[in-house]
Amino acid sequence: MSRYGFTQWADQIWQLERILIAHGIAVPRSSPFEEAALTLIQWDEVQAGRAEHDNKIDHRDIWRRALSLADFAEKIVLVQSHPDFSRLLPHLRLFAKTFDLSQFSSTPPQNQNNNKLFELYTAAMGMHVMSQCDVEDPNFSDGTNPDLIGVYSVRRWAIACKAMHSRSAKTFADRVREGVDQIERSPAERGIVLVNMKNTIDHNSMWPGWHDPNGDWYYCAFPSLVAARAPIIREFELLHSNLVAEFGKESEFYRQIFAGKKASMCIGLVYSTATGYSDEGGPVFTMLKTIHGLYGPVPDAEAEGLLEELNNGLHNLGHLPPVPAQPLPKQPGVP
């Protein structure tokens, strides 16, 4: 969720554009930036009754892209004063290209630029709590190094970013194994794997809509935020049960992939989308973001602490006044 309204979200995008221009990165006309910002401004006009909404069009795709870019922009704006901000510039140049930027939508495996933006997304999440950050250059990456290395607490940690494009437990294990191997080859002392799960979400079911007999589109809302989160929890629980089925027992999954490695058995699964839910003021359309944690049989307080901090970064809390952080949802059966 976000504390901003539509025009404030649009302002975050314009702030990011100014940062890009200041670093010599030209944003093309009719770019995702312009589309997203103008979408949010138009949405605000409709909500205020100053413009008419076209009910004949399903707007969810463009709204998801707009909300995602606004969320992305806020993350970048919040870390622009970080001493290692320049390490993000190779990734920021991706914004000058024309492709689907959204982290709130499903994108095909061929859209490698979108996968690279998840690396930027993660680096921005980590920078509020990590120092001496080194970010893998997306133009010269051969997939053998972690995407972010930095100092957290008293150690040098690596974060290996992976993207899922199916619900296959075997594929998930393969991606985690790749991340563990990258961490093992890195100069970091410890590391965690962070997996982008957005392509496993049915985003339209997370923001339901329907046609009436006249062909007009209407957008539905879950009865509560808890109900809106429930499909994500079911996706996570299904993956967990499929992993147990794939390896015979949960401990075997951790043994085969992590035994003798410096990577923590703490795995973060990032789910991001847009949704609607009802509160006392009526339907609310908003971002829905969470990191679910898979945790191994041995407690790892430092790794879990880093994952909690990344969760704060996911919600853009790193530079806000302190607020109680909700605990990450753990795997089924773990208290």
Side-chain angles (χ1 to χ4, degrees), residues 151-294:
V151 175
Y152 166 71
S153 185
V154 295
R155 302 181 197 274
R156 195 153 184 80
W157 281 80
I159 301 176
C161 299
K162 296 297 167 184
M164 282 292 292
H165 297 279
S166 76
R167 292 179 170 86
S168 165
K170 181 181 183 305
T171 301
F172 179 85
D174 288 343
R175 297 292 85 77
V176 173
R177 185 179 287 108
E178 291 168 359
V180 169
D181 289 345
Q182 289 174 347
I183 292 166
E184 189 68 16
R185 290 190 296 266
S186 78
E189 300 171 72
R190 302 290 313 284
I192 60 173
V193 179
L194 205 65
V195 186
N196 190 354
M197 303 298 292
K198 73 179 180 67
N199 291 323
T200 68
I201 300 173
D202 182 349
H203 292 276
N204 278 343
S205 71
M206 291 300 305
W207 195 348
W210 58 282
H211 267 120
D212 73 2
N214 296 321
D216 289 335
W217 268 97
Y218 291 88
Y219 305 95
C220 307
F222 288 94
S224 66
L225 188 55
V226 171
R229 288 174 173 153
I232 300 295
I233 295 174
R234 287 195 295 270
E235 285 284 347
F236 173 73
E237 291 175 340
L238 177 62
L239 173 65
H240 176 263
S241 62
N242 288 343
L243 279 172
V244 173
E246 178 71 26
F247 286 85
K249 54 184 179 180
E250 187 172 359
S251 60
E252 189 63 14
F253 163 69
Y254 290 107
R255 186 193 69 78
Q256 288 191 27
I257 295 178
F258 291 93
K261 306 293 186 180
K262 59 186 176 184
S264 170
M265 295 182 185
C266 214
I267 309 166
L269 287 72
V270 182
Y271 295 89
S272 300
T273 188
T275 190
Y277 72 95
S278 297
D279 66 8
E280 62 275 5
V284 176
F285 300 133
T286 190
M287 308 168 186
L288 180 59
K289 304 172 291 182
T290 185
I291 298 181
H292 285 253
L294 282 171

Side-chain angles (χ1 to χ4, degrees), residues 15-319:
Q15 287 191 58
L16 174 54
E17 184 178 34
R18 288 192 287 271
I19 291 172
L20 296 178
I21 292 171
H23 288 90
I25 303 171
V27 177
R29 291 192 175 275
S30 302
S31 67
F33 272 85
E34 290 186 341
E35 178 192 57
L38 293 175
T39 295
L40 293 170
I41 292 171
Q42 181 185 34
W43 200 352
D44 187 57
E45 292 291 299
V46 169
Q47 292 290 313
R50 295 187 294 267
E52 287 191 17
H53 172 67
D54 186 351
N55 286 331
K56 300 298 183 183
I57 299 174
D58 180 1
H59 294 267
R60 288 175 294 177
D61 279 343
I62 190 172
W63 285 345
R64 276 191 289 263
R65 291 196 297 271
L67 289 172
S68 173
L69 187 55
D71 176 53
F72 222 135
E74 184 176 9
K75 284 177 170 56
I76 302 302
V77 169
L78 287 173
V79 299
Q80 63 180 312
S81 61
H82 193 284
D84 304 315
F85 182 79
S86 62
R87 304 294 297 186
L88 301 181
L89 292 180
H91 278 89
L92 289 174
R93 293 189 181 97
L94 292 171
F95 285 122
K97 300 182 179 181
T98 302
F99 63 94
D100 189 347
L101 307 168
S102 180
Q103 297 299 308
F104 292 180
S105 312
S106 295
T107 50
Q110 296 82 0
N111 187 347
Q112 289 299 310
N113 282 330
N114 190 281
N115 294 338
K116 292 175 181 178
L117 279 185
F118 179 65
E119 300 166 8
L120 174 61
Y121 202 63
T122 298
M125 286 157 50
M127 272 190 169
H128 82 274
V129 71
M130 298 175 80
S131 61
Q132 302 177 41
C133 294
D134 186 11
V135 182
E136 177 80 348
D137 191 315
N139 301 305
F140 302 101
S141 173
D142 59 4
T144 61
N145 298 313
D147 301 287
L148 173 65
I149 298 178
V151 175
Y152 166 71
S153 185
V154 295
R155 302 181 197 274
R156 195 153 184 80
W157 281 80
I159 301 176
C161 299
K162 296 297 167 184
M164 282 292 292
H165 297 279
S166 76
R167 292 179 170 86
S168 165
K170 181 181 183 305
T171 301
F172 179 85
D174 288 343
R175 297 292 85 77
V176 173
R177 185 179 287 108
E178 291 168 359
V180 169
D181 289 345
Q182 289 174 347
I183 292 166
E184 189 68 16
R185 290 190 296 266
S186 78
E189 300 171 72
R190 302 290 313 284
I192 60 173
V193 179
L194 205 65
V195 186
N196 190 354
M197 303 298 292
K198 73 179 180 67
N199 291 323
T200 68
I201 300 173
D202 182 349
H203 292 276
N204 278 343
S205 71
M206 291 300 305
W207 195 348
W210 58 282
H211 267 120
D212 73 2
N214 296 321
D216 289 335
W217 268 97
Y218 291 88
Y219 305 95
C220 307
F222 288 94
S224 66
L225 188 55
V226 171
R229 288 174 173 153
I232 300 295
I233 295 174
R234 287 195 295 270
E235 285 284 347
F236 173 73
E237 291 175 340
L238 177 62
L239 173 65
H240 176 263
S241 62
N242 288 343
L243 279 172
V244 173
E246 178 71 26
F247 286 85
K249 54 184 179 180
E250 187 172 359
S251 60
E252 189 63 14
F253 163 69
Y254 290 107
R255 186 193 69 78
Q256 288 191 27
I257 295 178
F258 291 93
K261 306 293 186 180
K262 59 186 176 184
S264 170
M265 295 182 185
C266 214
I267 309 166
L269 287 72
V270 182
Y271 295 89
S272 300
T273 188
T275 190
Y277 72 95
S278 297
D279 66 8
E280 62 275 5
V284 176
F285 300 133
T286 190
M287 308 168 186
L288 180 59
K289 304 172 291 182
T290 185
I291 298 181
H292 285 253
L294 282 171
Y295 300 97
V298 179
D300 190 339
E302 194 173 0
E304 291 184 29
L306 176 55
L307 205 56
E308 290 283 355
E309 293 290 357
L310 290 173
N311 191 50
N312 286 340
L314 179 66
H315 292 88
N316 303 326
L317 298 178
H319 291 254

